[in-house]
Amino acid sequence: MNYINKYVDIKKIPKSLFVVLLFFSSTIFSFIPIAIFNIDVKNITAAENAVITLFNDLVVIGILIIMYFKRLKEDFKKSKKNFYEFFESSFKYWFVGLMLMMVSNIFINLVFPNAISGNEDTVQELIKSQPYVMLLTAGIIGPIIEELVFRTSFRDVFKNKYLFIITSGLVFGLLHVVFAATSPLDYIYALPYCFLGLSFAYMVDKTDNNLSSIMMHMIHNTTLVLISIFVR
């Protein structure tokens, strides 16, 4: 038990477990907009699905902000003291993650030409059908939720920074492919996301500020969504 306590804060596990379960079970809130707008779930349209997804995300982000409000407020105050240095440091770690992500994507495309990850294919279809809703959900709301779940809550549990960084990065990467994977080979597409997740976790550890990864994740996702909207 003492060995476990050295690496894991057992007292923080219940709260973090609730946060993770909330993230994965957010669809339980779908019945609210379905009932309010009398949506036919058997013949749901892209617009209706976007409304449901947005509602679920708003509920989850509301709960998470309430849970971590005090910490976010403290991090905001810390980031204001020397914002330029804070941003420069955050940008540096994100850029390294982005480069690793790009290199891994090039490697995957060379080994598996003409292939595309199921997750990426789904995201592009959603951007095509509901571009501005996706700009809000994927560019702004999603990054805040994911960072509070996979960085903030994970860091509370793992006392050892290397265990936190590795676990946070791997879980984050796998999350982006596990629900779209149709074969074991599809999990190779988790590699680029893992690198990005590792960079975000490393960034939080180095800056000791949860807003660093939230900020860079929002910039990363918003940029990609905007490129998809205007280049499609």
Side-chain angles (χ1 to χ4, degrees):
M1 184 62 70
N2 290 333
Y3 182 78
I4 295 176
N5 287 331
K6 181 180 178 181
Y7 295 98
V8 177
D9 189 337
I10 297 177
K11 293 181 180 179
K12 298 289 183 64
I13 290 179
K15 180 179 179 180
S16 296
L17 184 60
F18 171 79
V19 168
V20 173
L21 290 175
L22 175 67
F23 176 82
F24 284 106
S25 61
S26 62
T27 54
I28 63 174
F29 302 112
S30 299
F31 75 91
I32 299 176
I34 289 174
I36 293 175
F37 298 104
N38 195 26
I39 297 173
D40 182 3
V41 293
K42 295 181 179 179
N43 300 290
I44 192 168
T45 65
E48 290 171 336
N49 188 52
V51 169
I52 292 173
T53 301
L54 177 59
F55 180 84
N56 291 342
D57 287 347
L58 288 174
V59 172
V60 172
I61 197 173
I63 295 173
L64 292 176
I65 288 177
I66 291 173
M67 292 178 67
Y68 293 110
F69 180 77
K70 183 178 180 181
R71 187 178 312 177
L72 290 172
K73 185 178 180 180
E74 292 173 352
D75 286 343
F76 181 72
K77 290 180 179 178
K78 287 192 296 183
S79 66
K80 284 175 60 179
K81 290 180 179 179
N82 193 340
F83 183 76
Y84 179 78
E85 183 179 334
F86 171 72
F87 181 83
E88 184 180 41
S89 179
S90 303
F91 183 87
K92 176 179 63 178
Y93 298 128
W94 165 75
F95 187 75
V96 172
L98 179 65
M99 291 298 101
L100 291 172
M101 189 180 191
M102 292 175 64
V103 170
S104 59
N105 270 319
I106 292 172
F107 170 77
I108 292 172
N109 289 330
L110 288 174
V111 178
F112 305 101
N114 303 319
I116 184 171
S117 72
N119 176 74
E120 183 63 25
D121 198 27
T122 301
V123 169
Q124 291 303 320
E125 285 298 319
L126 289 172
I127 293 175
K128 182 178 179 181
S129 62
Q130 300 294 324
Y132 299 108
V133 173
M134 283 297 291
L135 184 61
L136 177 61
T137 57
I140 307 298
I141 300 176
I144 298 175
I145 292 175
E146 290 182 0
E147 291 309 310
L148 289 176
V149 173
F150 298 105
R151 244 62 69 184
T152 306
S153 74
F154 275 42
R155 195 173 184 225
D156 281 348
V157 171
F158 298 109
K159 296 179 180 179
N160 181 279
K161 69 175 185 179
Y162 299 108
L163 187 58
F164 156 65
I165 292 170
I166 294 172
T167 304
S168 174
L170 291 179
V171 173
F172 178 79
L174 290 171
L175 167 72
H176 285 78
V177 300
V178 66
F179 296 112
T182 56
S183 70
L185 191 60
D186 288 338
Y187 285 94
I188 192 173
Y189 293 110
L191 189 61
Y193 296 108
C194 284
F195 281 128
L196 191 63
L198 289 168
S199 73
F200 286 147
Y202 188 80
M203 180 190 307
V204 170
D205 178 72
K206 285 296 183 181
T207 61
D208 191 28
N209 194 316
N210 299 277
L211 292 181
S212 60
S213 64
I214 291 175
M215 174 180 63
M216 297 316 302
H217 197 159
M218 288 172 63
I219 291 174
H220 179 90
N221 280 21
T222 298
T223 301
L224 292 180
V225 174
L226 286 173
I227 290 173
S228 295
I229 290 174
F230 292 110
V231 176
R232 65 187 174 92

